[in-house]
Amino acid sequence: MIPAKFDYERPSSLSEAISLLSSGGPDARPIAGGHSLLPLMRLRLSRPTLLVDIGGLSDLRYVREDGDHLAIGALATHDDLARSAELLDRCALIPCVAEQIGDPQVRHRGTIGGSVAHADPASDLPAALMVLDAEIIAHGSNGPRTVLATDFFQGPFMSALEPDEILTEIRVPARDGWGSSYQKFQRRAQDWAIVGVTALIESGDGITGAAIGLTNMGGTPLRATAVEQALVGSSDPDGVAAAAAKVAEIGTPPADENASSEYRLHLAEVLIKRAVAEALS
Amino acid sequence: MATAEKFVGGGVPRKEDPKLVTGQATFVESITLPDMLHVAVARSPFGSAQINNVDLSAARTAPGVVATFSGEDLADEWAAGLPMAWPVTEDIRIPDHWPVTKDVARYVGDAVAVVVATSPSAAKDAVELIEVDYEVQTAVVDIPSALADDAPRVHESMESNECYTWTHANGDIDAAFAKADIVITENYVQPRLIPSAMEPRAVVVQPVPAAGDFTVWSTTQIPHVAKVLFSLTLGIPEAQMRVIAPDVGGGFGSKLNVYAEEVLCIALARRLGKPMKWVADRSEGYLATIHGRDQLQEIELAATSDGTILGYRVKLLANMGAYLQLVAPGVPLLGGFLYCGTYGGEAYHFECTGVFTNTTPVDAYRGAGRPEATYAIERAIEALALEVGVDAVEIRKRNFLPAGENVPSPAGLAFDSTNYEENLDKALEVLDYEATKAEQADRLSQGSTKLLGIGFSTYVEMCGLAPSQVLASLNYGAGGWDAATVRMLPTGQAEVVTGSSPHGQGHVTSWSQIAADALGIDYQDVTVLHGDTHVAPHGMNTYGSRSLSVAGVAVNQACNRVVDKAKTLAAHVLEVSPDDLEFEDGKFSVKGVPDRVQSIQEMAYAAWTAHNLPEGTEPGLEAHCVFDPPNFTFPFGSHVCVVEVDTETGAVELLRYVAVDDCGTIINPVIVEGQVHGGIVQGVAAALFEEATYAEDGTLETSSMINYLVPSAAEFPSFELDRTVTPSTSNPMGVKGIGEAGTIGSTPAVINAIVNALGHLGITDIAMPAKPERVWQAIQDANGDAS
């Protein structure tokens, strides 16, 4: 488990980090908690020539309210998210997802910025950002820019980030009064989701708003839009079940050693029903 | 020699733990020597390939590289190939097995070249620069394809991929089947498993070129056996070889071997005159450390109409992998006597064929043959129960061997101690079987999607290897004895030197308890020395749940001899006959005159000064004992598992796990429970999580812990443990092994529970591991059949 040779820099400011990345070429990579990149490096599946360790940029570690939004710094750890009073109060979906990531060790080292930038379709947080219509802010040599979560994830381990850009902040709208659930199906507690379903439900007389995210059902996190549309207006388990069945409209999900496409689709349908039920409870 | 047992049976804290939990242990990886060089191995990425050329030129000139070698370059280093010590039949096919292969790579991971460099990273980087010209051939990775008529041969010099066929019979099997009312025929697959000891393998070798001596630190379970075999493989006189197993972080059989990297580091140290070090990482270990299981089983039961079993007929195919590692052919034999489990019958017939494939070699993994055997009989007896129409408990009780001592088994063994029905009844009581069945029925009738299943396994195992003469009859290449030396130090403490080499079992604590009670001293006053062939020259080491019932008994007997000698010294000092003395709590007192006393500590000092010894008595207070038991030990137990099957997803959750084990006399209940806990987890892992799989081309798909699913504590409920105590007749302490019992008992209990949960759908089997999709698919298929 010895990585290939690489250089290492630990900048003390964001601008220094960006200039190190842009001068480091295409194989320079930022690193924070290291919980996605280091395992790949140790297996020599990833061979960055320069690591720019942004772990010292402590002003990127925060969760704060900003009017009707919540702003999350890229270096907030999963554990920070799981315990954040602001999030628990106004956007409970994020802590609900964050507390199911990996194990306590992973949650104390891994960061939201790293997890999102890594764009692993099996990661837990990206689908939550999709259903929250999050905005992702990145800083590069040309200054900051904002990318919608729906545009950010472009394929397995591929994002809209340019090589010299650093993800700095994630902004999610407050969802006061919305119910939320994350149904993660895995074989061991610390595994990636075989399938994950993120639900954000607003209800009054029946379901009045619904956002359903899917983890590990495609090359990127997905929104189950047909399910969402069918959920709105439904008020009983049969209606929810009929809506959940529309998950098939996403097409054929991937197959791997844990699940065939058919089984994955079936799991998604079951988990959508469970997620909606929990979000409504 | 009766003395009060103050420490034996008590849960004293493990002496090993303070240094382990504070990072003060010495593992092989933490050993650094002056001028030490680092070894990295280039391995074949192909399951089967001709090696046309190995180009080392780029690697040789890479930064930090000291030397590079191909298999051909090292050919003169070996006095013999890697050893295999269990040729089970006369006509067994034994392939050449060189530490670095010369012209053919036979599995993904087969060593093809080696780099020696000044740092581990330089060595690893240089390995990537080695260019091997491979001519890729068709690989055979599973038993059926290896046995096909036109199968490519793993070893081109052999006529087929069959390694050996071994049979064992007892009684008239044809007669038993001829008169049977019921014949049950079941086929099971034992998936390939990867032992995942916490500490990966490593080796450090220090040569003393001027003297021709070598010291080898290795992550091994068998320093004594390895010393002999290193010597034979390398042509180095045994007396110049010292092997040390320092703190070793788990083995489960995977370190019961002589590996290429061990002899390679010795050869390189000899060749270059410098200390060598090799450390496996996890994925390299998964390729280059033995795997376990991988068998295809057919078991037939002949029974009367009421379910009384008359005979057992078993045909087994066992994957050996590409080469024969140390005891690989014998592993199925260890199960070959146990396909009758805890049950009676008049006849038994077992046949096993070993098969070569282009895969990592398979060898002993915790339980070694016995988990496979137990699985087959404990699953088959459930099939018999279904056929007869009786409950899982009732079918077992109808067939249990009677309680007793030295009870003959259908396979022809004598079980030292049996008490199966009482043991099962205790498990039923802990479980509250009736209440659990009632809840199961309630959930089913309410149409719940979370169904309960109750699964049983009543196992017996054969361990504590054991009588050297029996091992000789199985053509095993070593004895079954073990040795202990006990010496009193002049200041009143005791040193226990043991031939068994621990790697997590807690020998130091248990041996201290045994010695403290036998010598009448405090257990903190006992030091246990082990794992260094210069310190403990005699031993047969640690595997097959043998340490306590062989080496631990030797400790006890050596202590008794020390006490005997101390008694003669005390009698001399007290000017009485030894017969007039009684010994209790470390004190020799004259019968009826309790104030005339000498302590064993005083006798230790007297023996050291030697100022006043009886005529003809040698100075020193020390005794040596070698114990060779008359029989194996046969621990047994009842494991009951309650699972919840989510019929919507196929997910299986363990709700309860009850284990009532019987390992005879217990030295340390906390250590016993730890062994049972770990054993259950490893057995359940086989049922639900772990499976090593190969792609058709020979690539190990499960090459890391990302997809080889070793479960964690989060996947388990708290276990409910209890015990019965039926002393063994195989040793004077009445002890039986407990290291493998949990693994042997648990796997079928889990699968039986899943099948039990889904029995109403007509489901009678689920292949291991019972992963969610497999269970869900079985439910879909059953529902499809029903509609």
Side-chain angles (χ1 to χ4, degrees):
Chain A
M1 293 299 189
I2 301 173
K5 191 174 187 302
F6 61 90
D7 290 323
Y8 174 85
E9 297 284 354
R10 190 173 167 91
S12 52
S13 72
L14 182 59
S15 57
E16 187 190 350
I18 291 164
S19 81
L20 282 165
L21 278 178
S22 52
S23 61
D27 293 324
R29 294 288 302 274
I31 187 166
H35 272 52
S36 299
L37 186 54
L38 284 181
L40 293 173
M41 289 172 61
R42 287 159 67 89
L43 292 166
R44 297 196 172 199
L45 295 172
S46 178
R47 296 168 178 251
T49 51
L50 169 67
L51 282 189
V52 178
D53 182 353
I54 60 170
L57 307 183
S58 52
D59 50 355
L60 291 181
R61 183 174 178 178
Y62 57 84
V63 177
R64 53 180 173 242
E65 286 186 72
D66 184 7
D68 59 354
H69 276 70
L70 292 122
I72 303 168
L75 290 189
T77 65
H78 306 315
D79 187 69
D80 293 342
L81 305 179
R83 293 168 194 270
S84 159
E86 292 84 356
L87 288 171
L88 286 164
D89 188 33
R90 304 202 63 195
C91 190
L93 178 62
I94 297 270
C96 167
V97 172
E99 72 175 7
Q100 295 184 53
I101 296 172
D103 54 36
Q105 202 173 345
V106 169
R107 292 195 290 273
H108 278 83
R109 293 288 302 172
T111 64
I112 187 171
S115 173
V116 170
H118 190 55
D120 182 342
S123 278
D124 301 294
L125 282 166
L129 301 191
M130 297 276 285
V131 303
L132 286 164
D133 295 317
E135 296 169 344
I136 293 164
I137 298 166
H139 280 73
S141 12
N142 297 325
R145 68 179 177 119
T146 300
V147 186
L148 293 177
T150 43
D151 298 328
F152 183 84
F153 301 104
Q154 301 189 336
F157 308 99
M158 290 186 288
S159 77
L161 284 177
E162 297 297 330
D164 70 341
E165 280 185 323
I166 291 174
L167 192 163
T168 53
E169 185 179 278
I170 288 162
R171 291 172 59 80
V172 292
R175 291 288 191 168
D176 302 308
W178 287 58
S180 54
S181 172
Y182 182 45
Q183 297 290 319
K184 181 177 183 178
F185 189 82
Q186 76 264 76
R187 288 178 68 187
R188 298 175 302 181
Q190 81 272 28
D191 281 334
W192 281 283
I194 295 173
V195 175
V197 169
T198 313
L200 198 58
I201 303 290
E202 184 189 50
S203 60
D205 184 15
I207 293 173
T208 55
I212 302 292
L214 302 175
T215 297
N216 211 12
M217 289 289 286
T220 65
L222 299 173
R223 285 279 290 264
T225 46
V227 177
E228 293 171 357
Q229 286 159 13
L231 278 171
V232 174
S234 70
S235 54
D236 60 11
D238 286 346
V240 171
K246 292 190 181 296
V247 71
E249 292 185 23
I250 65 162
T252 305
D256 57 31
E257 71 272 19
N258 286 314
S260 63
S261 299
E262 179 199 7
Y263 178 59
R264 222 176 216 113
L265 208 51
H266 166 77
L267 279 179
E269 185 180 335
V270 171
L271 297 177
I272 288 170
K273 287 186 274 187
R274 292 179 183 180
V276 171
E278 185 178 78
L280 286 169
S281 66
Chain B
M1 207 56 62
T3 179
E5 289 190 342
K6 292 172 65 177
F7 297 104
V8 166
V12 299
R14 280 172 30 117
K15 287 178 160 184
E16 293 88 342
D17 290 342
K19 73 172 180 177
L20 288 170
V21 301
T22 56
Q24 295 173 50
T26 302
F27 295 99
V28 175
E29 198 278 338
S30 42
I31 294 168
T32 295
L33 301 173
D35 295 330
M36 187 171 75
L37 299 174
H38 299 266
V39 175
V41 178
R43 300 184 183 279
S44 169
F46 302 109
S48 177
Q50 194 74 34
I51 297 170
N52 291 331
N53 185 45
V54 179
D55 180 354
L56 299 166
S57 53
R60 191 165 289 155
T61 55
V65 171
V66 174
T68 57
F69 301 97
S70 67
E72 208 61 66
D73 296 336
L74 293 169
D76 291 342
E77 296 289 337
W78 318 121
L82 285 165
M84 191 284 286
W86 202 342
V88 295
T89 60
E90 293 206 346
D91 60 353
I92 183 172
R93 291 173 173 146
I94 303 172
D96 286 341
H97 186 187
W98 302 110
V100 181
T101 192
K102 287 182 268 192
D103 46 6
V104 180
R106 293 186 176 85
Y107 68 97
V108 171
D110 211 354
V112 296
V114 58
V115 172
V116 182
T118 51
S119 74
S121 50
K124 292 252 181 204
D125 289 348
V127 161
E128 296 188 340
L129 302 173
I130 295 174
E131 291 197 18
V132 182
D133 177 6
Y134 291 105
E135 193 174 313
V136 180
Q137 321 271 6
T138 306
V140 285
V141 299
D142 57 46
I143 294 169
S145 46
L147 292 180
D149 286 341
D150 56 348
R153 281 162 297 150
V154 177
H155 297 279
E156 54 287 356
S157 63
M158 295 180 185
E159 281 170 30
S160 78
N161 290 317
E162 288 184 28
C163 174
Y164 69 90
T165 294
W166 184 87
T167 56
H168 171 67
N170 195 43
D172 187 341
I173 194 67
D174 292 333
F177 275 83
K179 68 181 174 188
D181 303 314
I182 298 171
V183 172
I184 298 289
T185 304
E186 293 278 298
N187 288 277
Y188 304 117
V189 177
Q190 297 291 329
R192 175 178 288 240
L193 301 178
I194 303 181
S196 298
M198 196 177 289
E199 181 201 22
R201 288 196 296 116
V203 59
V204 170
V205 178
Q206 182 169 44
V208 183
D213 294 341
F214 296 86
T215 300
V216 181
W217 290 264
S218 184
T219 54
T220 184
Q221 300 173 218
I222 52 164
H224 298 89
V225 175
K227 177 189 169 196
V228 175
L229 296 173
F230 291 165
S231 160
L232 295 174
T233 307
L234 288 144
I236 295 169
E238 186 186 339
Q240 292 185 284
M241 186 73 69
R242 175 185 187 183
V243 179
I244 301 172
D247 290 309
V248 177
F252 312 116
S254 72
K255 296 168 183 170
L256 157 58
N257 232 303
V258 172
Y259 281 106
E261 298 81 7
E262 291 174 306
V263 296
L264 190 53
C265 283
I266 302 170
L268 293 168
R270 174 169 63 184
R271 189 129 163 180
L272 300 174
K274 294 272 177 61
M276 295 290 153
K277 183 178 196 174
W278 173 83
V279 180
D281 59 34
R282 182 66 62 184
S283 290
E284 185 177 21
Y286 272 17
L287 293 177
T289 298
I290 59 106
H291 294 175
R293 318 284 190 258
D294 202 343
Q295 299 179 355
L296 301 179
Q297 304 171 306
E298 181 185 280
I299 180 168
E300 290 182 285
L301 304 181
T304 62
S305 57
D306 71 351
T308 304
I309 304 172
L310 302 169
Y312 305 79
R313 190 156 55 200
V314 176
K315 280 190 182 158
L316 188 68
L317 298 172
N319 195 337
M320 298 283 108
Y323 301 99
L324 297 177
Q325 284 282 358
L326 190 60
V327 296
V331 168
L333 276 61
L334 291 172
F337 297 89
L338 289 176
Y339 279 80
C340 45
T342 47
Y343 313 116
E346 21 188 276
Y348 185 91
H349 192 275
F350 173 85
E351 178 186 296
C352 169
T353 298
V355 181
F356 291 110
T357 59
N358 292 111
T359 60
T360 294
V362 177
D363 204 331
Y365 173 47
R366 199 173 190 176
R370 292 152 287 162
E372 300 94 309
T374 302
Y375 185 86
I377 182 59
E378 288 304 295
R379 291 281 302 113
I381 199 157
E382 300 266 331
L384 178 62
L386 280 179
E387 181 72 25
V388 178
V390 297
D391 175 272
V393 170
E394 177 59 27
I395 194 75
R396 286 175 168 82
K397 289 192 172 181
R398 283 186 191 177
N399 282 290
F400 275 151
L401 288 167
E405 293 181 349
N406 305 319
V407 176
S409 88
L413 298 173
F415 289 169
D416 60 346
S417 55
T418 59
N419 192 14
Y420 303 145
E421 185 156 347
E422 186 185 317
N423 181 275
L424 175 56
D425 284 338
K426 196 156 193 175
L428 295 173
E429 191 186 312
V430 175
L431 173 72
D432 195 344
Y433 187 36
E434 294 308 319
T436 313
K437 277 201 291 192
E439 190 190 342
Q440 179 183 34
D442 282 351
R443 290 202 193 190
L444 189 59
S445 65
Q446 289 161 10
S448 171
T449 57
K450 302 280 180 72
L451 296 180
L452 288 191
I454 308 165
F456 291 87
S457 166
T458 50
Y459 74 90
V460 60
E461 66 131 326
M462 151 187 160
C463 66
L465 274 62
S468 297
Q469 290 182 18
V470 174
L471 296 178
S473 72
L474 297 172
N475 216 18
Y476 183 68
W481 51 267
D482 222 305
T485 300
V486 173
R487 64 177 72 100
M488 293 295 299
L489 304 178
T491 55
Q493 291 150 353
E495 260 177 13
V496 171
V497 182
T498 179
S500 178
S501 188
H503 40 284
Q505 294 86 350
H507 288 34
V508 170
T509 302
S510 299
W511 283 203
S512 293
Q513 292 174 267
I514 292 168
D517 278 352
L519 298 170
I521 64 177
D522 192 274
Y523 100 118
Q524 295 291 9
D525 284 341
V526 182
T527 299
V528 179
L529 306 177
H530 59 77
D532 179 341
T533 58
H534 270 25
V535 173
H538 309 289
M540 276 295 172
N541 307 141
T542 299
Y543 54 88
S545 304
R546 69 187 302 277
S547 288
L548 177 58
S549 63
V550 189
V553 173
V555 169
N556 182 249
Q557 298 200 332
C559 287
N560 292 343
R561 289 177 191 176
V562 165
V563 171
D564 284 343
K565 180 170 182 183
K567 193 178 204 176
T568 65
L569 305 185
H572 179 71
V573 171
L574 292 166
E575 297 179 325
V576 295
S577 157
D579 295 340
D580 294 332
L581 292 179
E582 49 196 19
F583 181 62
E584 195 175 337
D585 267 353
K587 292 185 173 59
F588 298 95
S589 57
V590 180
K591 287 174 189 165
V593 194
D595 59 339
R596 293 194 64 201
V597 171
Q598 288 287 307
S599 71
I600 194 164
Q601 288 91 346
E602 288 171 307
M603 294 307 92
Y605 187 73
W608 182 68
T609 61
H611 293 169
N612 178 24
L613 299 178
E615 185 77 26
T617 300
E618 290 177 10
L621 188 49
E622 172 173 329
H624 182 67
C625 171
V626 182
F627 181 59
D628 194 349
N631 193 359
F632 302 98
T633 72
F634 297 90
F636 58 87
S638 302
H639 285 210
V640 195
C641 169
V642 181
V643 299
E644 184 179 83
V645 179
D646 182 336
T647 56
E648 289 185 311
T649 63
V652 174
E653 188 185 352
L654 244 57
L655 295 187
R656 292 181 65 194
Y657 199 98
V658 174
V660 178
D661 295 283
D662 192 317
C663 60
T665 308
I666 284 178
I667 307 301
N668 188 317
V670 176
I671 287 178
V672 168
E673 286 179 10
Q675 286 285 3
V676 173
H677 282 202
I680 291 170
V681 168
Q682 265 172 325
V684 173
L688 295 180
F689 298 103
E690 297 183 16
E691 180 183 26
T693 59
Y694 279 91
E696 269 183 24
D697 66 356
T699 302
L700 179 65
E701 294 169 320
T702 50
S703 61
S704 78
M705 285 184 171
I706 292 170
N707 48 15
Y708 185 80
L709 304 186
V710 179
S712 75
E715 278 68 61
F716 291 88
S718 285
F719 302 134
E720 300 165 64
L721 306 188
D722 207 328
R723 68 176 71 99
T724 56
V725 177
T726 313
S728 174
T729 56
S730 301
N731 60 72
M733 294 174 74
V735 295
K736 298 181 264 191
I738 193 66
E740 297 162 292
T743 312
I744 290 165
S746 57
T747 311
V750 178
I751 299 296
N752 282 340
I754 298 169
V755 171
N756 179 253
L758 302 174
H760 63 286
L761 297 172
I763 290 171
T764 56
D765 195 20
I766 294 278
M768 292 191 288
K771 49 186 180 183
E773 181 165 12
R774 210 168 252 175
V775 176
W776 176 76
Q777 192 62 53
I779 295 169
Q780 298 309 107
D781 294 348
N783 285 335
D785 290 347
S787 61

